[in-house]
Amino acid sequence: QVQLVESGGGLVQAGGSLRLSCAASGRFSSINRMGWYRQAPGEERELVAAITSGDSTNYATSVKGRFTISRDNAKNTMYLQMNSLQPEDTAVYYCNADVISLRYNPSRYWGQGTQVTVSS
């Protein structure tokens, strides 16, 4: 079984920074695309940023220039560096990963989420 564990959330003032991590554990062949999503109260879950195994990235318009997604394939870990945080960035942040099993079957996994709160 594959597990994704997020960390790094917390409370920060507007203009501050946080770095989220998402570590994958378990037995698998490889990880393709990984992504960060967020969900604010009363809102739908939305894509924040995604990164492929070849390090191609895409970002939501609202976070371009402020957030940076990266990954360390040797550690099976993805990061989200969030700078210039604003109150509207407040949400639960989730990571997901498209994992290839030892039998080469693809599956998508989600982490449990980490709360990010930005005070004004």
Side-chain angles (χ1 to χ4, degrees), residues 11 34 53 67 74 84 117:
L11 173 64
M34 303 183 78
S53 57
F67 291 11
S84 303
T117 303

Side-chain angles (χ1 to χ4, degrees), residues 10-23:
L11 173 64
V12 65
Q13 289 188 330
S17 298
L18 284 174
R19 189 193 193 207
L20 304 183
S21 298
C22 171

Side-chain angles (χ1 to χ4, degrees), residues 1 4-5 14-15 18-19 25-26 28 30 34 42 46 50 52 64 66 70 72 88 94 97-98 102 104 109 115:
Q1 185 70 8
L4 301 180
V5 178
L18 284 174
R19 189 193 193 207
S25 63
F28 49 86
S30 62
M34 303 183 78
E46 63 174 357
T52 69
K64 278 183 180 178
R66 300 188 297 125
S70 62
D72 183 336
E88 52 265 35
Y94 299 89
D98 293 335
L102 295 177
Y104 302 102
Y109 293 89
Q115 177 70 45

Side-chain angles (χ1 to χ4, degrees), residues 29-47:
S29 176
S30 62
I31 302 176
N32 289 341
R33 178 188 174 279
M34 303 183 78
W36 287 101
Y37 290 73
R38 66 186 181 187
Q39 187 167 20
E43 303 289 333
E44 293 187 354
R45 191 172 297 189
E46 63 174 357
L47 175 68

Side-chain angles (χ1 to χ4, degrees), residues 60-86:
T61 301
S62 60
V63 307
K64 278 183 180 178
R66 300 188 297 125
F67 291 11
T68 302
I69 189 172
S70 62
R71 63 191 283 174
D72 183 336
N73 292 326
K75 296 181 179 180
N76 294 318
T77 301
M78 173 180 64
Y79 306 96
L80 185 68
Q81 178 66 44
M82 305 187 292
N83 298 329
S84 303
L85 283 161
Q86 300 301 317

